[in-house]
Amino acid sequence: MDNIIEIKKQIERICSSQKPKEEKLQQICDYLASEISYYDWVGFYFKNGDKKELKLAQFFGEPTEHTIIPFGKGICGQVALSNKNFVVQDVSEQDNYISCGWKVKSEIVVPIFIDGQNIGQIDIDSHSINPFSSKDEELLEFICKKVSFFI
């Protein structure tokens, strides 16, 4: 990922716009998918009220049947409990993985915090094995921080 500085600037512009939060989240998904070739599915999941589950919000990519994910289930559900980034370079090596489609080969999930509470996450699926680097984590952490200001 060579253009991380430019991507961050554009994310900054999206997040500081006066548009409704849903529109900003959708713009982030669409923008990341258009800019980063190996981001084949980009979406946000948020804690579903007081329930111990995540609910799918805005996303880019093929529709998924996983609109509700219980805490602890799959990569997203594990991040909801661990409060830590989870990078899976090859999903076939992951026992607790929920398949969103046969094309998905890898996944990265980064939590969003407000006042120290994990309120959601950004989830990226890729059709490539081993595509993610520390730059991806840096960018997604940056995005999660920006999203926490308007969500």
Side-chain angles (χ1 to χ4, degrees), residues 29 33 38-45 56-64 66 76 100 104 107-108 122-127 132:
C29 293
Y38 53 93
Y39 282 20
D40 296 298
W41 193 93
V42 179
F44 288 96
Y45 282 93
L56 180 62
Q58 286 66 31
F59 70 93
F60 172 94
E62 293 180 20
T64 176
H66 305 293
C76 291
C100 288
V104 177
E107 182 172 11
I108 183 171
I122 189 167
D123 177 20
I124 312 286
D125 290 346
S126 178
H127 297 166
F132 303 118

Side-chain angles (χ1 to χ4, degrees), residues 61-114:
E62 293 180 20
T64 176
E65 62 196 40
H66 305 293
T67 55
I68 300 287
I69 298 177
F71 283 13
K73 189 107 176 87
I75 309 307
C76 291
Q78 290 176 74
V79 169
L81 294 177
S82 74
N83 298 323
K84 293 184 172 83
N85 299 354
F86 200 156
V87 181
V88 181
Q89 298 288 12
D90 183 350
V91 295
S92 70
E93 296 175 357
Q94 201 42 244
D95 290 337
N96 188 359
Y97 171 70
I98 303 172
S99 175
C100 288
W102 62 272
K103 294 180 200 163
V104 177
K105 304 284 188 255
S106 56
E107 182 172 11
I108 183 171
V109 179
V110 175
I112 301 167
F113 295 98
I114 294 180

